[in-house]
Amino acid sequence: QVQLVESGGGLVQAGGSLRLSCAASGTISDINTKGWYRQAPGKQREEVATIIISGNGESANYADFVKGRFTISRDNAKNLLTLQMNSLQPEDTAVYYCNTVDLRLIRSYWGRGTQVTVSS
């Protein structure tokens, strides 16, 4: 069973930065995706950034509203997924969730989320 635990959320002023981390445990296949999603109050959960991992390597994708501000990365040795968030704005306020999808087993796993609050 795969478990994901997010950390690094908090309160920051507009223009500031935060670094989110997602620690993963358990076994997942070699073809998978890892990503960050967020959900603001009263809104649907939306994709922020994802990494697609396959035998051909990996590729990162970003939502338009974070391009140039957020960077997703992973550390295989530590089973860690990170999201570096710069130039944060109040509209970035949300609960941020870590996700991984095992593309061989077609299973999706979610963390419990970490709150990010950006004050104006």
Side-chain angles (χ1 to χ4, degrees):
Q1 184 71 12
V2 174
Q3 291 187 331
L4 306 174
V5 179
E6 302 96 337
S7 62
L11 174 64
V12 64
Q13 289 188 333
S17 299
L18 283 174
R19 185 177 180 87
L20 304 183
S21 295
C22 174
S25 61
T27 302
I28 194 165
S29 73
D30 58 334
I31 302 177
N32 60 83
T33 68
K34 301 182 188 300
W36 289 94
Y37 293 72
R38 70 185 188 186
Q39 188 166 17
K43 294 186 178 181
Q44 290 189 332
R45 191 172 298 188
E46 59 185 358
E47 180 179 313
V48 175
T50 57
I51 296 177
I52 300 173
I53 301 149
S54 70
N56 296 324
E58 61 183 61
S59 64
N61 297 282
Y62 296 91
D64 287 342
F65 53 79
V66 303
K67 282 182 179 177
R69 300 189 299 129
F70 292 9
T71 303
I72 188 172
S73 61
R74 67 189 186 110
D75 184 331
N76 285 340
K78 297 181 180 179
N79 278 341
L80 203 63
L81 182 71
T82 62
L83 184 69
Q84 178 65 44
M85 305 187 296
N86 299 326
S87 301
L88 284 162
Q89 299 301 315
E91 51 266 34
D92 294 317
T93 295
V95 178
Y96 284 71
Y97 296 91
C98 177
N99 169 265
T100 187
V101 178
D102 188 319
L103 294 176
R104 289 193 185 274
L105 299 178
I106 316 298
R107 288 181 184 171
S108 180
Y109 304 93
W110 291 92
R112 292 188 175 184
T114 184
Q115 176 71 47
V116 171
T117 303
V118 185
S119 63
S120 57

